[in-house]
Amino acid sequence: MSASLAGKFQDHYDVLGVDPKSDSETIQQAYSTLAQKFHPKNAAMGNKEKFDAVNLAYEILADPLLRREFDKVKGVGQDEGSPSFSGTEFFEALGRETSLRATLLCILYDRRRTNPLRPSLSMRQIENMLAWTSEELVFTLWYLKQRNMVRSDDKSSLQITVEGMDCLETNMPAPEAIMPFFKGRSQA
């Protein structure tokens, strides 16, 4: 990458002239066309700076992980237009959220109780135990961390706090409200 590109934001979709929803084949075709056009050895249109920009754009957009990260920075896929209310879906989710929080607190309480020397669980371990979406887990963790009921240790694993234990003991959930959220093999 040339020094002139370093530190500047480059919209890789604009550089290649493709839509953010383009598939990998479209991105490949745009790259091939522009790389030939701006290649420094092209006497008519050669341009090293544009060629470097095209190469960088392709490098990012051709790699699914790098493209996903770029899309987050650019805001691709984020809600556009007027905000809306999800209606009855919201009210159905409201009760579910309470049970999801209780479920996670139960898991972490049980871990602290049965393994006090290693009371933390990694996100991967928790994800493997629960039949939840990523969004549900992220939302639940956000709430529990804001309320200081769960914290991350120095390795980003999760553990229950005293506040979380007190909350669970004060508002003891019914097993039938918690057990449906587990994957089958996660129960002893």
Side-chain angles (χ1 to χ4, degrees), residues 118-132:
R118 294 178 59 200
S120 299
L121 288 172
S122 71
M123 284 294 289
R124 179 167 290 185
Q125 289 171 309
I126 291 169
E127 287 171 341
N128 287 336
M129 294 174 73
L130 299 172
W132 299 9

Side-chain angles (χ1 to χ4, degrees), residues 18 26-27 33 46 48 54 61 104-105 115 117 120 138 150 161 176:
V18 296
T26 303
I27 291 170
T33 301
K48 171 99 170 91
V54 166
L61 298 180
L104 187 54
L105 287 175
N115 199 344
L117 298 177
S120 299
V138 168
V150 170
T161 63
E176 56 272 6

